[in-house]
Amino acid sequence: MRKTLLSLFLFSFLLQSKANFVTPGTGVTLTLTDLVSLSGGIVTFNGTDYIINDTVEIRKTDILNIAQNANVRFAPNTFLWVRGGATLIVNPPTGVTFTAQDPATGFLGMRIDTSNNTSLKKLTFEYAVSCRLSDSHIRIDDCTFRYNNNSSSTSFGNGAIALFRSSPMITNSRFIDNKRAAIQGGANIFNAPKMIGCTFRGNGTAAQNVPQINLGATSAGNDTVKILNCQIIDAGSVMTGGIGFLPLGNTYAVISNNLIRGNRYGVFLNGGANVNALVSYNVIDGNNIEGNSNTGGSGISLSGGSASSKQNTIITGNIFKNNLWGITIVGSGATLTGPQPNFGNLNNADTTDDGKNYFIGNTNNTTPGISVYNNSSDPIMAQNNYWGVGDATGVEATIFHKTDNATLGLITYNTYIPSPIQLLNFTAALTQSQTSLLNWSTSAELFSSSFEVQSSIDAITFNTIGTVAAAGNSNTVRSYTYEDASPNWQNGSVFYRLRMVDALGRFEYSQVVEVKLPPLNGFKLYPTEIPASRKVTAEFNSPAAQQVQFRFYSATGQFLGQYNATAVQGRNRAEVTVPAIGARGYVYVRVLGQGIETTVPLRN
């Protein structure tokens, strides 16, 4: 640690000596235009772009506020330094771009030191070495970091965002085609970024052995890294993994509801009791791009640990699909002691470790069809998971453990097939306009995909009339609604059910609910006064399928026109168009059909 701090001090001194324009440090708020007027030519404006010709330092309590759309181009070996309590605010209407004057040469980037009020929004940061955060807990939202790590030197930072004792909140942002990691923190440096709703794609194009998100220790206490609702996909080289933790110190991490696909491996956790991780409700799919099962291809790979130091890692509710392995557990030493993760224990009161993982199509040439490989001497709990098959013999064939090699630990499992959706209630009611309003709620969803709303006139033959997207994963009550605007009232009732579909195409049906029209006595035509749309609604019973005539006459008996409606046997509800009538007064409608003969007045 002393060596790390000394290196940081020397690096800080060198950077300070390069700062050719320094703001006054008196609490002023500056704009890019102010930098042009104050910097003596270090910052210029050419009519379209702001040109940074040397390093710019925002000092102490000063604020640089960029509230307009702008392109800012940096010369080689220059950077923007937000230093010692200074603040950078980027919040344009559409976008701000920090880029290099020469993309082939690039620039150093941006350094933010001891700044908790900095906020970056709608910023595109490209062709730099790094955005380096030191002792800073800033907000980054709707930003794009691409084509960075533009130098073989890592002294400025080893990631598109390089962290040193920093915990930024990063939301709705994109990290694309950076040469090394998108987010990077040292093994022994406490960082706890929160990444929510972000996309990590194509990072690691330099083909180094690093993941797209590369982190170490989180804190001396219990601050937590959160990677939530993100996409970590399509790594930039066959050497690049998805998410990796290799801590020298304590790690607390929650990795939930992400799509992790197309990497060398999905998630890598190395350590013993210092690793405290919840990996839940992720889709971990096709992490096999290297194609070598000896060096990669795991959905989740766990290593480290000792006889007295086991990981506190819970793996629950994930889909492992089309990886070379689903989960690999790697022991070490003569006794093959290892991390001993928990991915399904029904024998305790804790409900966060109840399994619910799916293993589908994970295979490799060395051990075909093996979803879980326990290469440790530790017993592993793996209850309450879906193994792609429903019988004990089939499940056993997907697991490599003590029954295959007596030196390995036993994996305890069962053949449970979890239900994708826990339906709490399902109701349907008639509205005043005689449509059907359906409401339902769920208490839990596991990789739910959709609700297909189906209707029937006899409660036997059902047809899909609409689809409602499901939540995907949820452990709280979720509510849904659907309106059937045109029910088939042929028999006076309509029956409804839900076809509840999960991400694997499995489905279950709800109970059937019924919506009834009130009894129909005689013939109804409404409204009784002709509206501007000249459309009225007729409700009637028909003894057979037939054409029913609606003949319109004036009060003096003059024939005005006719409308024909197609009726079904049973109850009917038809929209009838009234012909144009000049004079005001009453119009008489003569209704004729087999078993139907009546006259109804309408007021014009």
Side-chain angles (χ1 to χ4, degrees):
M1 178 64 73
R2 291 183 61 191
K3 181 178 179 181
T4 302
L5 293 175
L6 178 60
S7 298
L8 178 64
F9 172 77
L10 292 174
F11 183 55
S12 299
F13 176 79
L14 291 173
L15 291 182
Q16 184 176 0
S17 67
K18 285 180 59 63
N20 284 34
F21 172 65
V22 180
T23 63
T26 57
V28 297
T29 297
L30 303 170
T31 66
L32 289 173
T33 301
D34 293 330
L35 296 186
V36 172
S37 63
L38 296 173
S39 66
I42 291 177
V43 182
T44 61
F45 182 65
N46 65 7
T48 58
D49 299 338
Y50 291 89
I51 307 300
I52 308 294
N53 297 304
D54 217 322
T55 295
V56 173
E57 178 183 338
I58 312 302
R59 203 164 195 186
K60 290 185 178 179
T61 56
D62 292 349
I63 299 172
L64 175 58
N65 184 14
I66 305 177
Q68 80 274 26
N69 298 331
N71 291 320
V72 184
R73 298 188 179 275
F74 289 78
N77 297 314
T78 67
F79 63 99
L80 176 64
W81 195 355
V82 182
R83 185 182 177 198
T87 298
L88 170 63
I89 298 175
V90 178
N91 188 16
T94 304
V96 167
T97 299
F98 286 2
T99 190
Q101 294 181 22
D102 179 3
T105 305
F107 69 110
L108 289 178
M110 181 162 52
R111 176 163 180 165
I112 301 174
D113 291 348
T114 319
S115 177
N116 296 335
N117 294 321
T118 286
S119 175
L120 309 178
K121 190 174 180 67
K122 299 179 185 177
L123 170 67
T124 297
F125 184 84
E126 62 184 17
Y127 300 113
V129 173
S130 183
C131 174
R132 181 182 176 93
L133 305 183
S134 178
D135 295 296
S136 294
H137 315 297
I138 71 172
R139 179 67 189 262
I140 299 173
D141 180 59
D142 193 16
C143 293
T144 299
F145 294 78
R146 62 187 182 187
Y147 319 135
N148 295 297
N149 316 128
N150 206 34
S151 169
S152 59
S153 171
T154 60
S155 59
F156 195 87
N158 193 3
I161 293 181
L163 303 175
F164 185 91
R165 296 191 306 238
S166 295
S167 302
M169 173 69 73
I170 308 172
T171 56
N172 308 310
S173 294
R174 298 151 295 279
F175 296 81
I176 301 170
D177 296 339
N178 296 287
K179 288 188 176 181
R180 291 188 289 273
I183 309 287
Q184 182 270 337
N188 64 336
I189 308 300
F190 300 138
N191 300 292
K194 279 71 175 173
M195 294 154 273
I196 303 172
C198 297
T199 296
F200 301 85
R201 186 181 72 240
N203 301 290
T205 58
Q208 298 175 340
N209 186 15
V210 294
Q212 298 201 60
I213 300 175
N214 186 22
L215 295 170
T218 59
S219 75
N222 60 358
D223 202 2
T224 302
V225 171
K226 294 183 179 180
I227 307 173
L228 310 176
N229 303 311
C230 293
Q231 294 188 358
I232 303 97
I233 59 176
D234 303 335
S237 78
V238 297
M239 294 296 291
T240 305
I243 301 170
F245 283 85
L246 188 73
L248 298 176
N250 291 328
T251 285
Y252 296 84
V254 176
I255 304 170
S256 293
N257 292 292
N258 304 288
L259 173 61
I260 306 171
R261 183 186 65 201
N263 304 285
R264 180 186 176 193
Y265 53 82
V267 179
F268 173 64
L269 295 167
N270 178 270
N274 61 313
V275 174
N276 306 272
L278 173 64
V279 186
S280 62
Y281 299 100
N282 304 282
V283 176
I284 304 175
D285 178 15
N287 296 283
N288 55 18
I289 62 174
E290 186 186 23
N292 186 343
S293 60
N294 293 317
T295 57
S298 298
I300 297 179
S301 178
L302 305 109
S303 62
S306 65
S308 60
S309 180
K310 304 298 183 183
Q311 285 189 19
N312 301 300
T313 296
I314 295 174
I315 301 171
T316 183
N318 304 281
I319 287 182
F320 296 90
K321 184 171 64 171
N322 301 327
N323 307 286
L324 298 184
W325 322 81
I327 298 175
T328 54
I329 304 160
V330 182
S332 60
T335 59
L336 286 179
T337 56
Q340 199 175 27
N342 173 357
F343 51 102
N345 188 352
L346 298 179
N347 300 328
N348 58 30
D350 187 0
T351 59
T352 63
D353 65 349
D354 282 357
K356 301 180 183 179
N357 299 289
Y358 287 47
F359 296 90
I360 306 292
N362 302 284
T363 189
N364 61 79
N365 292 331
T366 304
T367 53
I370 297 297
S371 288
V372 177
Y373 194 103
N374 183 19
N375 191 33
S376 79
S377 57
D378 297 320
I380 303 295
M381 295 301 295
Q383 295 176 318
N384 214 40
N385 298 296
Y386 176 59
W387 301 94
V389 291
D391 62 281
T393 301
V395 173
E396 177 61 39
T398 71
I399 298 172
F400 194 92
H401 60 141
K402 190 177 185 66
T403 61
D404 303 286
N405 184 330
T407 65
L408 302 178
L410 182 71
I411 294 180
T412 300
Y413 62 87
N414 58 15
T415 57
Y416 175 71
I417 301 177
S419 174
I421 297 173
Q422 300 295 325
L423 189 64
L424 193 61
N425 53 59
F426 177 42
T427 62
L430 181 69
T431 68
Q432 289 185 344
S433 57
Q434 294 192 354
T435 66
S436 295
L437 185 62
L438 283 60
N439 290 282
W440 66 96
S441 60
T442 63
S443 58
E445 298 181 34
L446 179 64
F447 297 109
S448 57
S449 175
S450 63
F451 299 92
E452 296 178 6
V453 181
Q454 298 185 336
S455 71
S456 171
I457 61 173
D458 56 11
I460 299 172
T461 302
F462 283 85
N463 296 301
T464 298
I465 60 172
T467 301
V468 177
N473 293 301
S474 174
N475 290 314
T476 60
V477 174
R478 295 293 184 103
S479 298
Y480 300 88
T481 187
Y482 180 86
E483 184 176 8
D484 182 5
S486 302
N488 185 346
W489 297 118
Q490 177 178 338
N491 296 329
S493 291
V494 180
F495 300 89
Y496 296 95
R497 72 181 183 187
L498 301 173
R499 185 174 184 264
M500 303 177 289
V501 186
D502 73 2
L504 298 177
R506 299 189 309 138
F507 63 89
E508 295 178 348
Y509 289 109
S510 71
Q511 75 271 27
V512 175
V513 296
E514 180 183 9
V515 179
K516 288 183 177 182
L517 282 177
L520 179 62
N521 297 317
F523 185 94
K524 291 184 178 180
L525 193 65
Y526 57 87
T528 57
E529 185 167 339
I530 301 171
S533 65
R534 314 209 64 78
K535 294 182 184 297
V536 295
T537 299
E539 290 189 33
F540 57 94
N541 288 311
S542 175
Q546 61 174 315
Q547 291 288 309
V548 176
Q549 298 177 353
F550 293 80
R551 297 180 179 178
F552 295 87
Y553 296 89
S554 69
T556 60
Q558 179 186 2
F559 178 71
L560 301 174
Q562 180 173 310
Y563 183 89
N564 295 331
T566 301
V568 298
Q569 184 178 2
R571 186 161 181 159
N572 288 267
R573 185 170 182 263
E575 189 177 70
V576 177
T577 301
V578 180
I581 302 164
R584 297 191 63 81
Y586 280 96
V587 175
Y588 295 89
V589 186
R590 182 75 169 158
V591 186
L592 297 172
Q594 179 185 340
I596 302 172
E597 184 174 353
T598 186
T599 300
V600 182
L602 289 176
R603 184 176 181 83
N604 185 30

